[in-house]
Amino acid sequence: MLKPFAPRLHEMMKEVLMSPEAPGPKIHYYMIRGGEVKTNITVWETGTVGGEYIKTYGHYHVGQLDETYYLAAGEGIVILQKRKEDADGNPVDDEIEVFYAIPVKPGDSVFIPSGMGHLVVNTGKAWMVTYDDSPVNFEEVDPVSLPGHADYEAVKKMRGFAYYVVEKNGKPELVKNENYKAVPEPQWLTPAEYAQLTN
Amino acid sequence: MLKPFAPRLHEMMKEVLMSPEAPGPKIHYYMIRGGEVKTNITVWETGTVGGEYIKTYGHYHVGQLDETYYLAAGEGIVILQKRKEDADGNPVDDEIEVFYAIPVKPGDSVFIPSGMGHLVVNTGKAWMVTYDDSPVNFEEVDPVSLPGHADYEAVKKMRGFAYYVVEKNGKPELVKNENYKAVPEPQWLTPAEYAQLTN
């Protein structure tokens, strides 16, 4: 029997938190995977850890793989970042070319092209839920928690994305991650504005 | 630390399936509870068990408690039934007064007044997700899987609701549960038609 469910534990999230030593919930988010047709469900905890909103770990895709995230319940911010490339066309993990912050509400969707690092932050008072159409290979060792199409190492090395999403006076604010060598100004976009950019 | 997550296992679902001996998935649905503000998330498996679509167990509320279910992802049918009352005003478990079947899609919501038994069926090819605003008392013995406000015994005794939702030629059809003594004709309603009835 395939096991489609996995929780993402605080222990692993410490690798990418702004404040790894701050107390947090045991489980940051729940993953229930099904693949392209059945979709993949993610459910985020509420609240903050050391001021930073609960988020997914964040990853880049390995190889050519785009996907679309749909916000099903709650409210949050989709965070996207693209690495610079060196002369050989290889991504440079500590230099970011573009950084988008896209607030989303139920009914919104965000297309994530190949090469675009992504995570989602829960800024609401309720569980946030997304579904996405990423493929799943249940033959893998850990297809739900650590799918083979996802590169977590580049994010782990940098201790998260180029900006952390932090609560300030009840509102989300971006705080720069000083581990990066080059970081652009963040661009706040609506889902519609972002869709126009990528078309 | 509160544990907000619980799976509903096939073993327990056998009590209310049309065909308890048919093979089914180990987990029929996943519950992540948070209460009135944080909401409660439910995620349904896809497919059928002995022809019957994957469903929640179904229950009546104990005491005065209404709630609203919101469909967040996927597609399904909200099933509602109301028991007749005896001369003393006590519900009669094997006699049903009204039976509603309400197909829902993302964005739809269904208000469930006190006394109305309810379950939801997943008729789509993807995980179905709802959120609801039922209160949770985490002081209870088993607040997530078996909350104190829910009466499962009346449903267990009857082996499910008055009709089972069964796949026939790829479409949902209602099949009468012969354990009930009195069952009305089912009423198929849109969420809007149902809302008008309850106003």
Side-chain angles (χ1 to χ4, degrees), chain B residues 134-163:
Chain B
S134 220
V136 180
N137 178 1
F138 278 108
E139 304 296 310
E140 291 173 1
V141 176
D142 191 354
V144 177
S145 182
L146 296 170
H149 68 254
D151 173 14
Y152 292 94
E153 286 306 314
V155 182
K156 179 180 180 179
K157 194 167 78 180
M158 302 311 299
R159 308 190 71 81
F161 272 25
Y163 291 90

Side-chain angles (χ1 to χ4, degrees), chain A residues 66-88:
Chain A
D66 48 43
E67 62 183 346
T68 302
Y69 270 77
Y70 300 83
L71 198 81
E75 54 180 299
I77 303 174
V78 175
I79 299 293
L80 303 176
Q81 69 178 25
K82 197 174 179 342
R83 290 169 291 185
K84 287 186 183 161
E85 291 182 356
D86 65 18
D88 299 326

Side-chain angles (χ1 to χ4, degrees), chain A residues 1 4-5 24-27 30 32-35 37-41 43 45-46 71-74 106 125-127 129 131, chain B residues 1 4-5 24-27 30 32-35 37-41 43 45-46 71-74 106 125-127 129 131:
Chain A
M1 178 72 69
F5 171 80
K26 194 181 165 197
I27 296 171
Y30 301 82
I32 307 178
R33 295 185 70 85
V37 173
K38 196 169 171 181
T39 79
N40 310 297
I41 304 292
V43 181
E45 252 299 349
T46 55
L71 198 81
K125 297 198 183 314
W127 300 106
V129 183
Y131 62 98
Chain B
M1 178 72 68
F5 170 79
K26 193 180 166 199
I27 295 171
Y30 301 81
I32 307 178
R33 295 184 71 86
V37 173
K38 196 169 170 182
T39 78
N40 309 296
I41 304 292
V43 181
E45 252 299 349
T46 55
L71 198 80
K125 297 200 182 313
W127 300 106
V129 183
Y131 62 96

Side-chain angles (χ1 to χ4, degrees), chain B residues 9 15 59 61 74 88 101 156-157 160 167 176 186 192 199:
Chain B
L9 303 178
E15 298 169 357
H59 63 240
H61 283 167
D88 300 327
K156 179 180 180 179
K157 194 167 78 180
E167 185 179 25
K176 204 167 155 181
N199 271 345

